[in-house]
Amino acid sequence: AFLHGELEEDIYMEQLEGFVVPGKENLVCRLKKSLYGLKQSPRQWYKRFDSFMLSQKFRRSNYDSCVYLKVVDGSAIYLLLYVDDM
């Protein structure tokens, strides 16, 4: 799930072992997406998820930011989010 987060700043990492480009061993990689293990990853993923849910006319709970509600034809739909599980 964390691979779907969009980074807001430039983050660089060393080339991974086994994927080093011959003749360019001293270069680094600039990340375009968040990775599991980055401090920013959970927050960036949540921001993207939250934006999507709001675009689908769900409302975020005032008491718990991981609870979303939508009423369709008089029936309530609750979506509960725990880390990256729904």
Side-chain angles (χ1 to χ4, degrees):
F2 291 155
L3 297 176
H4 296 285
E6 300 290 334
L7 294 173
E8 295 176 350
E9 64 276 326
D10 290 339
I11 297 180
Y12 298 90
M13 62 179 269
E14 293 178 358
Q15 295 180 52
L16 297 174
E17 186 176 324
F19 293 94
V20 176
V21 177
K24 299 182 179 182
E25 294 83 4
N26 295 324
L27 296 181
V28 294
C29 301
R30 183 169 79 70
L31 298 179
K32 293 184 178 183
K33 298 277 189 175
S34 61
L35 291 176
Y36 184 81
L38 288 178
K39 291 179 184 179
Q40 299 91 331
S41 294
R43 177 74 181 141
Q44 294 308 111
W45 179 82
Y46 174 77
K47 286 173 68 174
R48 185 165 182 187
F49 176 83
D50 183 64
S51 174
F52 175 78
M53 293 303 292
L54 296 177
S55 76
Q56 298 301 307
K57 308 299 185 220
F58 277 81
R59 289 184 297 120
R60 187 176 41 244
S61 168
N62 293 328
Y63 304 102
D64 187 337
S65 61
C66 293
V67 176
Y68 294 85
L69 168 68
K70 181 177 182 178
V71 178
V72 177
D73 297 328
S75 296
I77 300 171
Y78 288 93
L79 187 134
L80 309 174
L81 177 66
Y82 178 75
V83 185
D84 62 350
D85 293 323
M86 290 163 253

